[in-house]
Amino acid sequence: MVGKTGRTAVWDRLPGLISDLGLDFVVVNGENAAGGFGITEDIFLETINAGADVVTTGNHVWDQKEAVVFAGRHDQFLRPANYPQGTPGRGSGLFYARNGARVLVANVMGRVFMHPELDDPFKSAEAILDACPLKEQADAIIFDFHAEATSEKQCFGHFVDGRASFVVGTHTHVPTADAQILNGGTAYMSDAGMCGDYDSSLGMDKEEPLNRFISKMPKGRMEAASGPATICGVGVEISDATGLAEKIAPLRLGPRLAETVPEFWR
């Protein structure tokens, strides 16, 4: 979710989507929800109240200073798991879906072209999977892999293939066309895209980013774009028997991008 237009679009549409499409579990990335930079506790709580089961983040998790305080108060709020030991909050958790399934959600951040450079995401994921294996302690496992480089995202997907239900990339704000099920049965998409105004630069008003590319000099603050938002995401159907993916398809609702709703949700 990027800015006010992105978060309010999610809050307005999510309850209906859960009801109409029969969604058992919803994960929302909220690290850009507060004016494009970070998330406040009120925004987090409103997102949970709208029907999200978990809110993940990424490199902007601490942009709003209050996040350092409230991160430890809410189990449904995740920051990247590969922050150093002692960082406030948690990077993964086991939750219950509306159908009773045990769902492990982990938020991990990549290191290629990313700041700050955190601990090894592959080792972090290995530790998470060792502690809560699929079909033992968890009926489904979801990774939000927050990273810039698609090569790193793809390699992470292959690394956990067959051991996780779903790997979804975040951070680049642009939905990719590679939703697929990997050879071992893990659903994968390099980036689900943002919920925000696509007449923008990654959800921010396009004039200041454009100016900085051309002049190399800032003229002012980056501001979240305020036009109509498109909701972007991805849906996965997971086998009760194996915990692996059976179907995956993107979700896009709103102006500018071609609308699509996964047929298996209808």
Side-chain angles (χ1 to χ4, degrees):
M1 302 184 297
V2 180
K4 184 177 181 180
T5 189
R7 67 180 187 255
T8 55
V10 171
W11 297 344
D12 289 345
R13 296 295 299 270
L14 186 54
L17 289 172
I18 291 171
S19 175
D20 295 344
L21 303 178
L23 306 183
D24 292 315
F25 198 82
V26 176
V27 179
V28 175
N29 185 289
E31 70 148 5
N32 300 113
F37 299 96
I39 184 170
T40 65
E41 186 170 24
D42 285 347
I43 292 173
F44 161 75
L45 292 172
E46 192 72 28
T47 306
I48 295 296
N49 290 337
D53 295 285
V54 176
V55 174
T56 56
T57 56
N59 58 301
H60 288 288
V61 61
W62 311 124
D63 283 6
Q64 301 294 322
K65 299 305 180 186
E66 66 180 86
V68 176
V69 177
F70 78 75
R73 288 203 290 256
H74 303 288
D75 290 346
Q76 293 164 286
F77 181 81
L78 299 183
R79 46 82 175 158
N82 49 330
Y83 266 98
Q85 188 173 0
T87 302
R90 59 198 304 214
S92 63
L94 191 65
F95 308 93
Y96 285 92
R98 276 169 277 281
N99 65 351
R102 302 164 299 171
V103 183
L104 173 67
V105 182
N107 193 181
V108 179
M109 195 165 105
R111 298 200 290 187
V112 179
F113 309 129
M114 295 292 289
H115 180 79
E117 185 173 310
L118 303 184
D119 297 340
D120 186 339
F122 294 88
K123 288 183 179 179
S124 178
E126 191 70 54
I128 290 167
L129 292 171
D130 284 348
C132 192
L134 185 62
K135 297 311 296 179
E136 293 183 24
Q137 281 80 30
D139 299 306
I141 296 176
I142 300 170
F143 279 96
D144 174 343
F145 191 64
H146 195 79
E148 180 77 23
T150 50
S151 58
E152 187 180 23
K153 291 178 177 183
Q154 289 173 343
C155 284
F156 184 86
H158 293 304
F159 180 70
V160 301
D161 187 19
R163 300 187 291 164
S165 311
F166 179 32
V167 173
V168 58
T170 56
H171 181 66
T172 60
H173 293 212
V174 178
T176 54
D178 62 341
Q180 60 181 296
I181 297 176
L182 302 178
N183 292 339
T186 296
Y188 173 86
M189 186 174 180
S190 290
D191 203 294
M194 69 172 180
C195 298
D197 179 5
Y198 277 81
D199 183 19
S200 68
S201 174
L202 307 185
M204 308 305 287
D205 185 90
K206 56 183 179 287
E207 296 306 323
E208 180 58 19
L210 182 59
N211 161 68
R212 295 187 188 188
F213 277 114
I214 294 170
S215 71
K216 311 303 180 185
M217 294 290 292
K219 285 185 178 178
R221 294 180 66 249
M222 296 277 196
E223 301 284 350
S226 58
T230 296
I231 292 175
C232 283
V234 57
V236 176
E237 190 170 287
I238 296 170
S239 167
D240 292 334
T242 67
L244 297 171
E246 295 183 328
K247 299 175 182 177
I248 180 173
L251 169 73
R252 291 192 294 271
L253 297 171
R256 295 196 169 266
L257 305 186
E259 289 201 354
T260 176
V261 176
E263 287 295 329
F264 60 86
W265 279 358
R266 294 184 187 275

